[in-house]
Amino acid sequence: MKIIIAGAGEVGFHLAKLLSYESQEITLIDTDRDSLSYADNHLDIKVLKGDATSIAILKEAKIDRADLLIGVTASETTNITVCVLAKQLGAKRTIARISNTEFITHKDEVGFTRFGIDELISPESLAAAEIELLLNQSAFKDSYEFEDGALTMVSLKLSRTAGFVGKTVKEAAELFSEIHFVPIAIQRFGTQYTIIPRGDTEFREGDNAVFITCAGGGEELCKMTGKMNTPVKDVMILGGSKIGYKTGRDLSANGFNVKLIENNKEIAFDLADDLPKVLVINGDGRNVELLEEENISDMDAFISVTGNSETNIMSCLMAKSKGVKKTIALVENMDYFELSQSIGIDTLINKKLLAANNIFRYIRKGEVVAMTKLNNMNAELLEFRVKSTSRICNKLIKDVKFPRSAIVGGVIRNGEGLIALGGFRIEEGDYIVVCCLPRSIKEVEKLFL
């Protein structure tokens, strides 16, 4: 695919980096010479200095041959303008990064596709939604929903007391036959290798295991692993950033008791005016005395979303030491993800990764409805819609030649999530969730064309 990315900032560079690994033809446009120089020296892509809203620059980038244009500059106005121009000049599909979430809420009413914008994404909204989902699935480290929760991906670290530790996948399935979850990926403790489990794969203590669950599967998984999916009610947020604001607004609207701490006095007063259901406190969230005065030990969850990754990590560790059960830290450095298991924070989230996951489904072949990369694992979760022409249509799962490094996690049929085993027959219109390692993605895509 020929892909043009407007904006060489954090999200743009990260997208270019991920896409260049897949041998896509990437052109990165930006006005900042230093950002382009860094990208040019570190990535196998073409860079172009100039204003992405310039028709001459877009033509120089060969916009008429572009399969996809992604506008991810710091200015949403620029991103929208670039997408409109690109579509008129021949780009097949366009995606704009925006910060005003009203655009997403009313996108059908406004009709952005008529202007030439196929998709709108807001990294801040994606992060806020991810945080709320994690609080509703408090027993798990990571979570992702398909089709409004018909199927849910969850991950957790297996302790010695987990009911299936020491057993193979096949033995566990025979022992617990009436279950509503299936393992799709395992990372052994102390390694960076991702295993796609088969029948003879053994569960071990310390494994970071990822499961697909349907209705009731989360509760079963908690019982069998000794985890507690305790309800989260009282939440403390550190940082009145866009993510802090959106998270506080959404959580308070859904019945959570929210305290938000912001160091900047002017921002704190604005937040207090805009968020009447949130208790906004003006103060330094790194001050332990302040946190103790605000009863941090009584909180069910602590979320740190300041602009500083190290502050977020350290404040979450401090919250853990005060007995807070669920901690979530926003980090910018992707390398920190590898530390999340060892440093004791429940979940790390990253805006760039969330935005990239959302955009990546447009890169994949076949009718990809949703897609996410597994945190700290070299694997992707893809949701395909089965067409009448798909090679997988009207076949039993066991008769489909899936590569060994891919596995079917579940099927959504008529809105109902199902854990589908080898004897399940796939039909047109089914939504199939597949977990696969990068080397098998092309083979899996061919099954759904």
Side-chain angles (χ1 to χ4, degrees), residues 257-298:
N257 300 321
V258 181
K259 288 183 180 181
L260 191 154
I261 300 176
E262 168 55 45
N263 197 26
N264 183 293
K265 188 174 182 179
E266 189 174 337
I267 293 174
F269 274 97
D270 287 341
L271 288 169
D273 290 337
D274 292 343
L275 303 172
K277 294 182 179 179
V278 175
L279 176 59
V280 180
I281 298 148
N282 176 220
D284 188 348
R286 296 169 297 182
N287 186 324
V288 179
E289 289 184 4
L290 172 65
L291 296 177
E292 287 178 338
E293 282 177 16
E294 295 303 328
N295 303 316
I296 187 171
S297 58
D298 295 334

Side-chain angles (χ1 to χ4, degrees), residues 142-424:
D142 294 302
S143 190
Y144 186 88
E145 288 187 342
F146 295 93
E147 303 301 317
D148 297 323
L151 291 176
T152 305
M153 178 276 289
V154 296
S155 76
L156 71 166
K157 187 175 181 179
L158 298 182
S159 61
R160 181 172 48 83
T161 56
F164 41 76
V165 164
K167 296 179 176 62
T168 64
V169 171
K170 185 178 180 182
E171 289 169 345
E174 290 171 351
L175 195 62
F176 310 105
S177 57
E178 295 298 319
I179 57 173
H180 299 88
F181 60 85
V182 64
I184 56 168
I186 294 174
Q187 185 183 62
R188 297 292 187 210
F189 179 72
T191 75
Q192 293 299 314
Y193 298 109
T194 302
I195 300 167
I196 300 296
R198 294 293 170 187
D200 58 355
T201 305
E202 182 184 342
F203 292 106
R204 298 178 187 172
E205 180 184 356
D207 281 351
N208 182 26
V210 182
F211 298 85
I212 289 288
T213 70
C214 61
E219 291 79 3
E220 291 172 356
L221 197 52
C222 286
K223 288 177 185 175
M224 293 174 64
T225 56
K227 302 288 183 182
M228 291 285 289
N229 208 0
T230 52
V232 172
K233 194 69 178 173
D234 299 311
V235 180
M236 183 177 286
I237 300 172
L238 178 59
S241 60
K242 287 181 181 177
I243 296 176
Y245 169 81
K246 288 179 172 63
T247 302
R249 181 195 63 191
D250 296 347
L251 291 180
S252 62
N254 289 326
F256 290 82
N257 300 321
V258 181
K259 288 183 180 181
L260 191 154
I261 300 176
E262 168 55 45
N263 197 26
N264 183 293
K265 188 174 182 179
E266 189 174 337
I267 293 174
F269 274 97
D270 287 341
L271 288 169
D273 290 337
D274 292 343
L275 303 172
K277 294 182 179 179
V278 175
L279 176 59
V280 180
I281 298 148
N282 176 220
D284 188 348
R286 296 169 297 182
N287 186 324
V288 179
E289 289 184 4
L290 172 65
L291 296 177
E292 287 178 338
E293 282 177 16
E294 295 303 328
N295 303 316
I296 187 171
S297 58
D298 295 334
M299 294 294 121
D300 299 314
F302 182 88
I303 302 161
S304 191
V305 288
T306 73
N308 186 290
S309 298
E310 290 74 20
T311 296
N312 295 337
I313 289 171
M314 294 306 296
S315 58
C316 280
L317 289 176
M318 193 277 299
K320 268 291 185 191
S321 73
K322 299 295 181 184
V324 179
K325 292 183 176 63
K326 186 75 172 179
T327 54
I328 301 171
L330 175 72
V331 297
E332 294 301 324
N333 190 332
M334 298 294 291
D335 296 332
Y336 287 154
F337 273 90
E338 296 178 10
L339 301 174
S340 60
Q341 292 183 49
S342 56
I343 61 179
I345 295 173
D346 295 307
T347 307
L348 300 180
I349 59 172
N350 180 283
K351 289 188 298 183
K352 294 177 287 188
L353 190 61
L354 292 169
N357 285 350
N358 200 268
I359 290 170
F360 247 76
R361 61 193 171 111
Y362 299 103
I363 314 300
R364 297 284 170 243
K365 294 176 182 175
E367 195 169 333
V368 178
V369 182
M371 179 243 158
T372 185
K373 285 177 178 285
L374 300 182
N375 282 351
N376 206 26
M377 286 193 187
N378 190 29
E380 290 185 15
L381 262 180
L382 296 153
E383 180 189 357
F384 292 95
R385 186 179 185 276
V386 179
K387 298 182 286 189
S388 60
T389 55
S390 302
R391 283 161 54 186
I392 199 170
C393 189
N394 296 321
K395 287 188 178 180
L396 300 178
I397 289 177
K398 64 183 179 183
D399 294 335
V400 179
K401 292 183 179 179
F402 268 91
R404 281 195 63 81
S405 52
I407 187 172
V408 172
V411 177
I412 301 169
R413 179 176 291 172
N414 299 323
E416 181 185 0
L418 306 165
I419 300 302
L421 303 178
F424 187 91

Side-chain angles (χ1 to χ4, degrees), residues 427-444:
E427 299 176 359
E428 180 185 354
D430 285 348
Y431 293 87
I432 313 292
V433 176
V434 180
C435 181
C436 51
L437 301 186
R439 64 175 178 267
S440 62
I441 287 173
K442 284 184 170 57
E443 286 183 70
V444 171

